[in-house]
Amino acid sequence: MADSGSSGEFSASLTSSTLPPPRTRIFKIIVIGDSGVGKTCLTYRFCAGKFPEKTEATIGVDFRERLVEIDGEKIKIQLWDTAGQERFRKSMVQHYYRNVHAVVFVYDITNAASFRNLPAWIEECRQHALGNEVPRILVGNKCDLQDSVQVGTEVAQQFADTHSMPLFETSAKNSNILKDGSSRGSSDHVEAIFMTVAHKLRSQKPLVLSQPSDRAGGTVNLSSCGDSRGEGARSWGCSSC
Ligand SMILES: Nc1nc2c(ncn2[C@@H]2O[C@H](COP(=O)(O)OP(=O)(O)OP(=O)(O)O)[C@@H](O)[C@H]2O)c(=O)[nH]1
């Protein structure tokens, strides 16, 4: 672009055509838990908007992405659907944990063992140096199977409180069903869960804007309080509220 010598014209053309398009931020969220708890179904539900007709055990890791807009900012939510089976994890495990922004622990409310194994998943995170600053949430999946519940809300909530995580109970299959088995209109609970994580990350990680060289580089927090926590999620404070 030619500089006409007039600062007014210069800044006008900067804003209209020469500024690079705003970068899309990517939030990497890993989803972990025992095999069969529904990690693939939950991530597919959020990214493709439906329950998959058929799933197979994940080998290594699958990525699913979805572009969302929060308060006018486009954000790419990248979900890493990790294998629950030990034999399919080994070679990949150290890659999952690089540059992770948030962790979603999943258990199956109809499978007590998947709940009992949560400490092992938390320990794996610790061993891979995931600090407390990385937001975590706990998701009890398969709430549509109310006749087969093995993990009650109370015990799950106690666990979540002990580990300072919000708890969400949901169903990837029928995502309008909430933890009490009720249905709330057309709201999609799985959607709300991942969007809550994205809001949380966005409020934690201010958008860094590049500044003209005559001004000190700065950090501009464009976030507003978008903490739309779901039922039972009470472990996250919102610093901007
Ligand atoms: N009823 C019901 N079934 C579900 C739900 N979510 C998953 N499933 C079923 O549970 C089984 C396992 O689901 P996956 O999503 O493949 O489980 P995963 O945790 O990804 O398993 P790995 O890839 O082995 O780690 C499949 O048969 C799904 O159809 C749910 O919310 N309700």
Side-chain angles (χ1 to χ4, degrees), residues 26-75:
I26 299 175
F27 291 154
K28 173 180 173 182
I29 300 171
I30 58 168
V31 183
I32 59 181
D34 276 12
S35 178
V37 296
K39 299 179 296 297
T40 298
C41 292
L42 285 165
T43 55
Y44 190 89
R45 172 93 200 202
F46 179 72
C47 294
K50 56 186 181 187
F51 187 74
E53 277 167 25
K54 183 170 166 283
T55 59
E56 280 166 12
T58 305
I59 296 173
V61 68
D62 279 339
F63 304 91
R64 293 188 182 90
E65 285 186 339
R66 183 171 148 194
L67 197 62
V68 300
E69 196 168 316
I70 301 178
D71 295 340
E73 187 195 348
K74 287 195 167 54
I75 288 170

mmCIF file of all heavy atoms in Angstrom, residues 26-75:
data_model
loop_
_atom_site.group_PDB
_atom_site.id
_atom_site.type_symbol
_atom_site.label_atom_id
_atom_site.label_comp_id
_atom_site.label_asym_id
_atom_site.label_seq_id
_atom_site.Cartn_x
_atom_site.Cartn_y
_atom_site.Cartn_z
ATOM 1 N N ILE A 26 -7.688 -20.815 18.574
ATOM 2 C CA ILE A 26 -8.048 -22.230 18.665
ATOM 3 C C ILE A 26 -7.942 -22.653 20.118
ATOM 4 O O ILE A 26 -6.921 -22.409 20.758
ATOM 5 C CB ILE A 26 -7.101 -23.093 17.795
ATOM 6 C CG1 ILE A 26 -7.216 -22.686 16.326
ATOM 7 C CG2 ILE A 26 -7.420 -24.582 17.966
ATOM 8 C CD1 ILE A 26 -6.238 -23.399 15.409
ATOM 9 N N PHE A 27 -8.993 -23.252 20.625
ATOM 10 C CA PHE A 27 -8.950 -23.803 21.970
ATOM 11 C C PHE A 27 -8.884 -25.323 21.865
ATOM 12 O O PHE A 27 -9.788 -25.955 21.332
ATOM 13 C CB PHE A 27 -10.187 -23.403 22.772
ATOM 14 C CG PHE A 27 -10.250 -21.937 23.129
ATOM 15 C CD1 PHE A 27 -11.475 -21.319 23.348
ATOM 16 C CD2 PHE A 27 -9.092 -21.180 23.266
ATOM 17 C CE1 PHE A 27 -11.532 -19.972 23.694
ATOM 18 C CE2 PHE A 27 -9.143 -19.828 23.606
ATOM 19 C CZ PHE A 27 -10.372 -19.228 23.825
ATOM 20 N N LYS A 28 -7.804 -25.879 22.380
ATOM 21 C CA LYS A 28 -7.636 -27.335 22.339
ATOM 22 C C LYS A 28 -8.172 -27.941 23.640
ATOM 23 O O LYS A 28 -7.671 -27.647 24.725
ATOM 24 C CB LYS A 28 -6.142 -27.673 22.168
ATOM 25 C CG LYS A 28 -5.846 -29.147 22.287
ATOM 26 C CD LYS A 28 -4.360 -29.442 22.114
ATOM 27 C CE LYS A 28 -4.049 -30.903 22.411
ATOM 28 N NZ LYS A 28 -2.621 -31.221 22.290
ATOM 29 N N ILE A 29 -9.161 -28.762 23.480
ATOM 30 C CA ILE A 29 -9.805 -29.377 24.652
ATOM 31 C C ILE A 29 -9.673 -30.889 24.509
ATOM 32 O O ILE A 29 -10.104 -31.452 23.492
ATOM 33 C CB ILE A 29 -11.295 -28.980 24.707
ATOM 34 C CG1 ILE A 29 -11.434 -27.452 24.802
ATOM 35 C CG2 ILE A 29 -11.994 -29.670 25.877
ATOM 36 C CD1 ILE A 29 -12.858 -26.937 24.639
ATOM 37 N N ILE A 30 -9.077 -31.551 25.497
ATOM 38 C CA ILE A 30 -8.987 -33.008 25.394
ATOM 39 C C ILE A 30 -10.098 -33.651 26.210
ATOM 40 O O ILE A 30 -10.478 -33.176 27.277
ATOM 41 C CB ILE A 30 -7.609 -33.588 25.774
ATOM 42 C CG1 ILE A 30 -7.204 -33.216 27.185
ATOM 43 C CG2 ILE A 30 -6.538 -33.166 24.798
ATOM 44 C CD1 ILE A 30 -6.007 -34.028 27.656
ATOM 45 N N VAL A 31 -10.607 -34.737 25.660
ATOM 46 C CA VAL A 31 -11.721 -35.449 26.281
ATOM 47 C C VAL A 31 -11.198 -36.831 26.662
ATOM 48 O O VAL A 31 -10.754 -37.598 25.792
ATOM 49 C CB VAL A 31 -12.904 -35.551 25.292
ATOM 50 C CG1 VAL A 31 -14.104 -36.219 25.953
ATOM 51 C CG2 VAL A 31 -13.298 -34.158 24.792
ATOM 52 N N ILE A 32 -11.190 -37.121 27.970
ATOM 53 C CA ILE A 32 -10.611 -38.385 28.410
ATOM 54 C C ILE A 32 -11.551 -39.128 29.361
ATOM 55 O O ILE A 32 -12.461 -38.551 29.941
ATOM 56 C CB ILE A 32 -9.205 -38.208 29.043
ATOM 57 C CG1 ILE A 32 -9.238 -37.285 30.245
ATOM 58 C CG2 ILE A 32 -8.209 -37.681 28.041
ATOM 59 C CD1 ILE A 32 -7.860 -37.070 30.861
ATOM 60 N N GLY A 33 -11.306 -40.421 29.465
ATOM 61 C CA GLY A 33 -12.134 -41.273 30.313
ATOM 62 C C GLY A 33 -12.097 -42.693 29.768
ATOM 63 O O GLY A 33 -11.553 -42.953 28.683
ATOM 64 N N ASP A 34 -12.702 -43.617 30.526
ATOM 65 C CA ASP A 34 -12.669 -45.033 30.159
ATOM 66 C C ASP A 34 -13.251 -45.285 28.764
ATOM 67 O O ASP A 34 -14.082 -44.514 28.270
ATOM 68 C CB ASP A 34 -13.493 -45.846 31.164
ATOM 69 C CG ASP A 34 -12.686 -46.201 32.407
ATOM 70 O OD1 ASP A 34 -11.584 -45.628 32.591
ATOM 71 O OD2 ASP A 34 -13.160 -47.034 33.199
ATOM 72 N N SER A 35 -12.878 -46.416 28.224
ATOM 73 C CA SER A 35 -13.439 -46.831 26.935
ATOM 74 C C SER A 35 -14.941 -47.063 27.085
ATOM 75 O O SER A 35 -15.405 -47.648 28.080
ATOM 76 C CB SER A 35 -12.760 -48.137 26.500
ATOM 77 O OG SER A 35 -13.309 -48.564 25.290
ATOM 78 N N GLY A 36 -15.706 -46.572 26.121
ATOM 79 C CA GLY A 36 -17.149 -46.822 26.102
ATOM 80 C C GLY A 36 -18.006 -45.826 26.858
ATOM 81 O O GLY A 36 -19.238 -45.944 26.872
ATOM 82 N N VAL A 37 -17.391 -44.817 27.477
ATOM 83 C CA VAL A 37 -18.200 -43.849 28.245
ATOM 84 C C VAL A 37 -18.951 -42.871 27.337
ATOM 85 O O VAL A 37 -19.890 -42.206 27.763
ATOM 86 C CB VAL A 37 -17.351 -43.053 29.276
ATOM 87 C CG1 VAL A 37 -16.787 -43.981 30.346
ATOM 88 C CG2 VAL A 37 -16.256 -42.260 28.595
ATOM 89 N N GLY A 38 -18.491 -42.797 26.083
ATOM 90 C CA GLY A 38 -19.211 -41.931 25.127
ATOM 91 C C GLY A 38 -18.451 -40.690 24.681
ATOM 92 O O GLY A 38 -19.057 -39.717 24.238
ATOM 93 N N LYS A 39 -17.123 -40.746 24.739
ATOM 94 C CA LYS A 39 -16.320 -39.579 24.349
ATOM 95 C C LYS A 39 -16.515 -39.251 22.869
ATOM 96 O O LYS A 39 -16.673 -38.094 22.487
ATOM 97 C CB LYS A 39 -14.823 -39.843 24.631
ATOM 98 C CG LYS A 39 -14.521 -40.101 26.098
ATOM 99 C CD LYS A 39 -13.050 -40.373 26.353
ATOM 100 C CE LYS A 39 -12.514 -41.637 25.704
ATOM 101 N NZ LYS A 39 -13.130 -42.879 26.196
ATOM 102 N N THR A 40 -16.484 -40.291 22.039
ATOM 103 C CA THR A 40 -16.673 -40.063 20.600
ATOM 104 C C THR A 40 -18.061 -39.480 20.348
ATOM 105 O O THR A 40 -18.218 -38.518 19.585
ATOM 106 C CB THR A 40 -16.496 -41.385 19.827
ATOM 107 O OG1 THR A 40 -15.156 -41.844 20.038
ATOM 108 C CG2 THR A 40 -16.733 -41.205 18.333
ATOM 109 N N CYS A 41 -19.061 -40.051 21.010
ATOM 110 C CA CYS A 41 -20.433 -39.578 20.782
ATOM 111 C C CYS A 41 -20.621 -38.136 21.236
ATOM 112 O O CYS A 41 -21.287 -37.342 20.562
ATOM 113 C CB CYS A 41 -21.427 -40.488 21.496
ATOM 114 S SG CYS A 41 -21.481 -42.130 20.756
ATOM 115 N N LEU A 42 -20.022 -37.776 22.363
ATOM 116 C CA LEU A 42 -20.157 -36.404 22.863
ATOM 117 C C LEU A 42 -19.480 -35.402 21.922
ATOM 118 O O LEU A 42 -20.044 -34.350 21.615
ATOM 119 C CB LEU A 42 -19.546 -36.283 24.263
ATOM 120 C CG LEU A 42 -20.357 -36.896 25.407
ATOM 121 C CD1 LEU A 42 -19.491 -37.037 26.663
ATOM 122 C CD2 LEU A 42 -21.597 -36.058 25.710
ATOM 123 N N THR A 43 -18.283 -35.741 21.486
ATOM 124 C CA THR A 43 -17.549 -34.804 20.631
ATOM 125 C C THR A 43 -18.218 -34.707 19.258
ATOM 126 O O THR A 43 -18.303 -33.638 18.662
ATOM 127 C CB THR A 43 -16.065 -35.211 20.479
ATOM 128 O OG1 THR A 43 -15.998 -36.569 19.995
ATOM 129 C CG2 THR A 43 -15.325 -35.133 21.797
ATOM 130 N N TYR A 44 -18.730 -35.839 18.786
ATOM 131 C CA TYR A 44 -19.415 -35.853 17.495
ATOM 132 C C TYR A 44 -20.708 -35.036 17.598
ATOM 133 O O TYR A 44 -21.057 -34.266 16.715
ATOM 134 C CB TYR A 44 -19.725 -37.296 17.106
ATOM 135 C CG TYR A 44 -20.213 -37.462 15.681
ATOM 136 C CD1 TYR A 44 -19.318 -37.652 14.634
ATOM 137 C CD2 TYR A 44 -21.576 -37.441 15.398
ATOM 138 C CE1 TYR A 44 -19.772 -37.808 13.333
ATOM 139 C CE2 TYR A 44 -22.037 -37.597 14.104
ATOM 140 C CZ TYR A 44 -21.130 -37.785 13.079
ATOM 141 O OH TYR A 44 -21.579 -37.935 11.797
ATOM 142 N N ARG A 45 -21.376 -35.232 18.701
ATOM 143 C CA ARG A 45 -22.627 -34.508 18.929
ATOM 144 C C ARG A 45 -22.391 -32.993 18.867
ATOM 145 O O ARG A 45 -23.153 -32.239 18.264
ATOM 146 C CB ARG A 45 -23.188 -34.895 20.295
ATOM 147 C CG ARG A 45 -24.364 -34.097 20.741
ATOM 148 C CD ARG A 45 -25.630 -34.782 20.338
ATOM 149 N NE ARG A 45 -26.749 -33.866 20.323
ATOM 150 C CZ ARG A 45 -28.005 -34.251 20.422
ATOM 151 N NH1 ARG A 45 -28.299 -35.508 20.545
ATOM 152 N NH2 ARG A 45 -28.966 -33.371 20.380
ATOM 153 N N PHE A 46 -21.323 -32.546 19.510
ATOM 154 C CA PHE A 46 -21.054 -31.108 19.530
ATOM 155 C C PHE A 46 -20.625 -30.608 18.148
ATOM 156 O O PHE A 46 -21.067 -29.549 17.699
ATOM 157 C CB PHE A 46 -19.968 -30.773 20.557
ATOM 158 C CG PHE A 46 -19.641 -29.300 20.598
ATOM 159 C CD1 PHE A 46 -20.542 -28.389 21.139
ATOM 160 C CD2 PHE A 46 -18.448 -28.825 20.079
ATOM 161 C CE1 PHE A 46 -20.261 -27.029 21.151
ATOM 162 C CE2 PHE A 46 -18.161 -27.463 20.088
ATOM 163 C CZ PHE A 46 -19.070 -26.561 20.633
ATOM 164 N N CYS A 47 -19.775 -31.376 17.472
ATOM 165 C CA CYS A 47 -19.204 -30.878 16.210
ATOM 166 C C CYS A 47 -20.112 -31.141 15.009
ATOM 167 O O CYS A 47 -20.141 -30.353 14.073
ATOM 168 C CB CYS A 47 -17.819 -31.486 15.978
ATOM 169 S SG CYS A 47 -16.641 -30.916 17.217
ATOM 170 N N ALA A 48 -20.829 -32.256 15.027
ATOM 171 C CA ALA A 48 -21.677 -32.578 13.867
ATOM 172 C C ALA A 48 -23.157 -32.354 14.161
ATOM 173 O O ALA A 48 -23.988 -32.440 13.268
ATOM 174 C CB ALA A 48 -21.444 -34.031 13.450
ATOM 175 N N GLY A 49 -23.465 -32.109 15.418
ATOM 176 C CA GLY A 49 -24.849 -31.772 15.778
ATOM 177 C C GLY A 49 -25.776 -32.966 15.916
ATOM 178 O O GLY A 49 -26.983 -32.806 16.037
ATOM 179 N N LYS A 50 -25.227 -34.170 15.872
ATOM 180 C CA LYS A 50 -26.104 -35.338 16.027
ATOM 181 C C LYS A 50 -25.345 -36.495 16.682
ATOM 182 O O LYS A 50 -24.118 -36.466 16.793
ATOM 183 C CB LYS A 50 -26.664 -35.777 14.672
ATOM 184 C CG LYS A 50 -25.600 -36.071 13.653
ATOM 185 C CD LYS A 50 -26.219 -36.368 12.293
ATOM 186 C CE LYS A 50 -25.102 -36.687 11.315
ATOM 187 N NZ LYS A 50 -25.514 -36.837 9.944
ATOM 188 N N PHE A 51 -26.124 -37.485 17.083
ATOM 189 C CA PHE A 51 -25.544 -38.684 17.692
ATOM 190 C C PHE A 51 -25.079 -39.602 16.554
ATOM 191 O O PHE A 51 -25.844 -39.861 15.621
ATOM 192 C CB PHE A 51 -26.628 -39.371 18.533
ATOM 193 C CG PHE A 51 -26.146 -40.528 19.353
ATOM 194 C CD1 PHE A 51 -25.380 -40.325 20.494
ATOM 195 C CD2 PHE A 51 -26.478 -41.830 19.007
ATOM 196 C CE1 PHE A 51 -24.943 -41.391 21.277
ATOM 197 C CE2 PHE A 51 -26.045 -42.902 19.776
ATOM 198 C CZ PHE A 51 -25.274 -42.681 20.911
ATOM 199 N N PRO A 52 -23.844 -40.107 16.610
ATOM 200 C CA PRO A 52 -23.385 -40.947 15.499
ATOM 201 C C PRO A 52 -24.140 -42.275 15.455
ATOM 202 O O PRO A 52 -24.444 -42.854 16.501
ATOM 203 C CB PRO A 52 -21.901 -41.168 15.809
ATOM 204 C CG PRO A 52 -21.755 -40.925 17.263
ATOM 205 C CD PRO A 52 -22.833 -39.962 17.662
ATOM 206 N N GLU A 53 -24.424 -42.724 14.243
ATOM 207 C CA GLU A 53 -25.172 -43.992 14.119
ATOM 208 C C GLU A 53 -24.358 -45.166 14.632
ATOM 209 O O GLU A 53 -24.881 -46.123 15.186
ATOM 210 C CB GLU A 53 -25.559 -44.210 12.661
ATOM 211 C CG GLU A 53 -26.840 -43.446 12.324
ATOM 212 C CD GLU A 53 -27.099 -43.359 10.844
ATOM 213 O OE1 GLU A 53 -26.603 -44.229 10.100
ATOM 214 O OE2 GLU A 53 -27.797 -42.410 10.443
ATOM 215 N N LYS A 54 -23.050 -45.077 14.421
ATOM 216 C CA LYS A 54 -22.211 -46.220 14.754
ATOM 217 C C LYS A 54 -20.843 -45.679 15.190
ATOM 218 O O LYS A 54 -20.332 -44.743 14.589
ATOM 219 C CB LYS A 54 -22.055 -47.045 13.467
ATOM 220 C CG LYS A 54 -21.293 -48.322 13.577
ATOM 221 C CD LYS A 54 -21.480 -49.101 12.258
ATOM 222 C CE LYS A 54 -20.496 -50.230 12.142
ATOM 223 N NZ LYS A 54 -19.139 -49.795 11.769
ATOM 224 N N THR A 55 -20.303 -46.255 16.268
ATOM 225 C CA THR A 55 -18.940 -45.849 16.638
ATOM 226 C C THR A 55 -18.093 -47.093 16.858
ATOM 227 O O THR A 55 -18.614 -48.172 17.161
ATOM 228 C CB THR A 55 -18.906 -45.036 17.959
ATOM 229 O OG1 THR A 55 -19.463 -45.832 19.003
ATOM 230 C CG2 THR A 55 -19.637 -43.728 17.856
ATOM 231 N N GLU A 56 -16.809 -46.904 16.683
ATOM 232 C CA GLU A 56 -15.870 -47.975 17.013
ATOM 233 C C GLU A 56 -14.876 -47.424 18.020
ATOM 234 O O GLU A 56 -14.728 -46.204 18.127
ATOM 235 C CB GLU A 56 -15.147 -48.429 15.739
ATOM 236 C CG GLU A 56 -16.023 -49.362 14.936
ATOM 237 C CD GLU A 56 -15.526 -49.583 13.515
ATOM 238 O OE1 GLU A 56 -14.379 -49.200 13.226
ATOM 239 O OE2 GLU A 56 -16.295 -50.140 12.729
ATOM 240 N N ALA A 57 -14.208 -48.313 18.719
ATOM 241 C CA ALA A 57 -13.222 -47.854 19.705
ATOM 242 C C ALA A 57 -12.212 -46.932 19.021
ATOM 243 O O ALA A 57 -11.706 -47.242 17.938
ATOM 244 C CB ALA A 57 -12.516 -49.058 20.312
ATOM 245 N N THR A 58 -11.965 -45.814 19.655
ATOM 246 C CA THR A 58 -10.999 -44.861 19.097
ATOM 247 C C THR A 58 -9.588 -45.431 19.221
ATOM 248 O O THR A 58 -9.230 -45.990 20.258
ATOM 249 C CB THR A 58 -11.094 -43.515 19.861
ATOM 250 O OG1 THR A 58 -12.447 -43.071 19.804
ATOM 251 C CG2 THR A 58 -10.174 -42.457 19.280
ATOM 252 N N ILE A 59 -8.835 -45.282 18.148
ATOM 253 C CA ILE A 59 -7.441 -45.738 18.169
ATOM 254 C C ILE A 59 -6.561 -44.496 18.165
ATOM 255 O O ILE A 59 -6.663 -43.678 17.242
ATOM 256 C CB ILE A 59 -7.141 -46.638 16.958
ATOM 257 C CG1 ILE A 59 -7.999 -47.900 17.072
ATOM 258 C CG2 ILE A 59 -5.653 -46.979 16.878
ATOM 259 C CD1 ILE A 59 -7.944 -48.794 15.869
ATOM 260 N N GLY A 60 -5.781 -44.324 19.201
ATOM 261 C CA GLY A 60 -4.946 -43.112 19.295
ATOM 262 C C GLY A 60 -5.809 -41.923 19.662
ATOM 263 O O GLY A 60 -6.226 -41.766 20.795
ATOM 264 N N VAL A 61 -6.088 -41.095 18.655
ATOM 265 C CA VAL A 61 -6.875 -39.890 18.922
ATOM 266 C C VAL A 61 -7.607 -39.469 17.655
ATOM 267 O O VAL A 61 -7.123 -39.710 16.551
ATOM 268 C CB VAL A 61 -5.946 -38.748 19.430
ATOM 269 C CG1 VAL A 61 -5.010 -38.256 18.357
ATOM 270 C CG2 VAL A 61 -6.743 -37.594 20.017
ATOM 271 N N ASP A 62 -8.774 -38.912 17.819
ATOM 272 C CA ASP A 62 -9.504 -38.299 16.691
ATOM 273 C C ASP A 62 -9.679 -36.814 17.006
ATOM 274 O O ASP A 62 -9.845 -36.452 18.167
ATOM 275 C CB ASP A 62 -10.907 -38.904 16.556
ATOM 276 C CG ASP A 62 -10.887 -40.231 15.816
ATOM 277 O OD1 ASP A 62 -9.915 -40.484 15.073
ATOM 278 O OD2 ASP A 62 -11.838 -41.008 15.999
ATOM 279 N N PHE A 63 -9.667 -36.006 15.972
ATOM 280 C CA PHE A 63 -9.906 -34.575 16.170
ATOM 281 C C PHE A 63 -11.265 -34.223 15.607
ATOM 282 O O PHE A 63 -11.629 -34.702 14.543
ATOM 283 C CB PHE A 63 -8.925 -33.715 15.374
ATOM 284 C CG PHE A 63 -7.503 -33.988 15.655
ATOM 285 C CD1 PHE A 63 -6.816 -34.923 14.908
ATOM 286 C CD2 PHE A 63 -6.842 -33.288 16.636
ATOM 287 C CE1 PHE A 63 -5.490 -35.174 15.150
ATOM 288 C CE2 PHE A 63 -5.514 -33.538 16.881
ATOM 289 C CZ PHE A 63 -4.831 -34.482 16.143
ATOM 290 N N ARG A 64 -11.946 -33.402 16.306
ATOM 291 C CA ARG A 64 -13.159 -32.804 15.734
ATOM 292 C C ARG A 64 -13.101 -31.311 16.033
ATOM 293 O O ARG A 64 -12.650 -30.915 17.098
ATOM 294 C CB ARG A 64 -14.424 -33.407 16.338
ATOM 295 C CG ARG A 64 -14.590 -34.811 15.954
ATOM 296 C CD ARG A 64 -15.846 -35.526 16.290
ATOM 297 N NE ARG A 64 -15.599 -36.885 15.799
ATOM 298 C CZ ARG A 64 -15.057 -37.857 16.527
ATOM 299 N NH1 ARG A 64 -14.750 -37.651 17.786
ATOM 300 N NH2 ARG A 64 -14.832 -39.036 16.004
ATOM 301 N N GLU A 65 -13.560 -30.512 15.077
ATOM 302 C CA GLU A 65 -13.468 -29.068 15.266
ATOM 303 C C GLU A 65 -14.804 -28.416 14.967
ATOM 304 O O GLU A 65 -15.570 -28.918 14.142
ATOM 305 C CB GLU A 65 -12.462 -28.472 14.273
ATOM 306 C CG GLU A 65 -11.041 -28.734 14.614
ATOM 307 C CD GLU A 65 -10.097 -27.998 13.680
ATOM 308 O OE1 GLU A 65 -10.497 -27.618 12.560
ATOM 309 O OE2 GLU A 65 -8.961 -27.797 14.089
ATOM 310 N N ARG A 66 -15.015 -27.316 15.627
ATOM 311 C CA ARG A 66 -16.190 -26.521 15.287
ATOM 312 C C ARG A 66 -15.869 -25.052 15.511
ATOM 313 O O ARG A 66 -15.262 -24.686 16.518
ATOM 314 C CB ARG A 66 -17.373 -26.950 16.157
ATOM 315 C CG ARG A 66 -18.625 -26.217 15.792
ATOM 316 C CD ARG A 66 -19.828 -26.791 16.504
ATOM 317 N NE ARG A 66 -20.764 -25.730 16.762
ATOM 318 C CZ ARG A 66 -21.791 -25.826 17.584
ATOM 319 N NH1 ARG A 66 -22.011 -26.950 18.228
ATOM 320 N NH2 ARG A 66 -22.604 -24.811 17.761
ATOM 321 N N LEU A 67 -16.276 -24.247 14.538
ATOM 322 C CA LEU A 67 -16.071 -22.806 14.647
ATOM 323 C C LEU A 67 -17.287 -22.204 15.328
ATOM 324 O O LEU A 67 -18.418 -22.439 14.888
ATOM 325 C CB LEU A 67 -15.904 -22.232 13.235
ATOM 326 C CG LEU A 67 -15.300 -20.849 13.118
ATOM 327 C CD1 LEU A 67 -13.878 -20.811 13.662
ATOM 328 C CD2 LEU A 67 -15.332 -20.401 11.661
ATOM 329 N N VAL A 68 -17.062 -21.474 16.390
ATOM 330 C CA VAL A 68 -18.193 -20.839 17.077
ATOM 331 C C VAL A 68 -17.909 -19.341 17.168
ATOM 332 O O VAL A 68 -16.779 -18.896 16.967
ATOM 333 C CB VAL A 68 -18.400 -21.411 18.504
ATOM 334 C CG1 VAL A 68 -18.688 -22.895 18.465
ATOM 335 C CG2 VAL A 68 -17.212 -21.114 19.409
ATOM 336 N N GLU A 69 -18.928 -18.586 17.435
ATOM 337 C CA GLU A 69 -18.741 -17.154 17.593
ATOM 338 C C GLU A 69 -19.190 -16.764 18.997
ATOM 339 O O GLU A 69 -20.301 -17.098 19.407
ATOM 340 C CB GLU A 69 -19.552 -16.403 16.536
ATOM 341 C CG GLU A 69 -19.095 -14.977 16.397
ATOM 342 C CD GLU A 69 -19.661 -14.291 15.167
ATOM 343 O OE1 GLU A 69 -19.671 -14.914 14.073
ATOM 344 O OE2 GLU A 69 -20.111 -13.152 15.323
ATOM 345 N N ILE A 70 -18.301 -16.112 19.709
ATOM 346 C CA ILE A 70 -18.647 -15.654 21.063
ATOM 347 C C ILE A 70 -18.421 -14.150 21.115
ATOM 348 O O ILE A 70 -17.309 -13.675 20.888
ATOM 349 C CB ILE A 70 -17.792 -16.359 22.137
ATOM 350 C CG1 ILE A 70 -17.984 -17.875 22.083
ATOM 351 C CG2 ILE A 70 -18.145 -15.837 23.531
ATOM 352 C CD1 ILE A 70 -17.143 -18.659 23.071
ATOM 353 N N ASP A 71 -19.460 -13.436 21.405
ATOM 354 C CA ASP A 71 -19.412 -11.962 21.453
ATOM 355 C C ASP A 71 -18.692 -11.390 20.238
ATOM 356 O O ASP A 71 -17.820 -10.527 20.355
ATOM 357 C CB ASP A 71 -18.709 -11.481 22.740
ATOM 358 C CG ASP A 71 -19.494 -11.848 23.976
ATOM 359 O OD1 ASP A 71 -20.702 -12.117 23.861
ATOM 360 O OD2 ASP A 71 -18.899 -11.877 25.069
ATOM 361 N N GLY A 72 -18.993 -11.917 19.074
ATOM 362 C CA GLY A 72 -18.442 -11.376 17.834
ATOM 363 C C GLY A 72 -17.078 -11.935 17.470
ATOM 364 O O GLY A 72 -16.548 -11.662 16.391
ATOM 365 N N GLU A 73 -16.464 -12.719 18.355
ATOM 366 C CA GLU A 73 -15.154 -13.292 18.025
ATOM 367 C C GLU A 73 -15.316 -14.740 17.570
ATOM 368 O O GLU A 73 -15.978 -15.547 18.245
ATOM 369 C CB GLU A 73 -14.222 -13.257 19.249
ATOM 370 C CG GLU A 73 -12.802 -13.691 18.862
ATOM 371 C CD GLU A 73 -11.916 -14.025 20.057
ATOM 372 O OE1 GLU A 73 -12.298 -13.727 21.203
ATOM 373 O OE2 GLU A 73 -10.839 -14.604 19.806
ATOM 374 N N LYS A 74 -14.686 -15.048 16.445
ATOM 375 C CA LYS A 74 -14.732 -16.435 15.971
ATOM 376 C C LYS A 74 -13.668 -17.249 16.706
ATOM 377 O O LYS A 74 -12.511 -16.848 16.783
ATOM 378 C CB LYS A 74 -14.461 -16.481 14.469
ATOM 379 C CG LYS A 74 -15.629 -15.968 13.657
ATOM 380 C CD LYS A 74 -15.484 -16.359 12.195
ATOM 381 C CE LYS A 74 -16.776 -16.138 11.434
ATOM 382 N NZ LYS A 74 -17.310 -14.771 11.556
ATOM 383 N N ILE A 75 -14.082 -18.382 17.224
ATOM 384 C CA ILE A 75 -13.171 -19.249 17.975
ATOM 385 C C ILE A 75 -13.327 -20.669 17.460
ATOM 386 O O ILE A 75 -14.451 -21.140 17.235
ATOM 387 C CB ILE A 75 -13.502 -19.192 19.488
ATOM 388 C CG1 ILE A 75 -13.063 -17.831 20.047
ATOM 389 C CG2 ILE A 75 -12.825 -20.325 20.248
ATOM 390 C CD1 ILE A 75 -13.524 -17.553 21.427
#
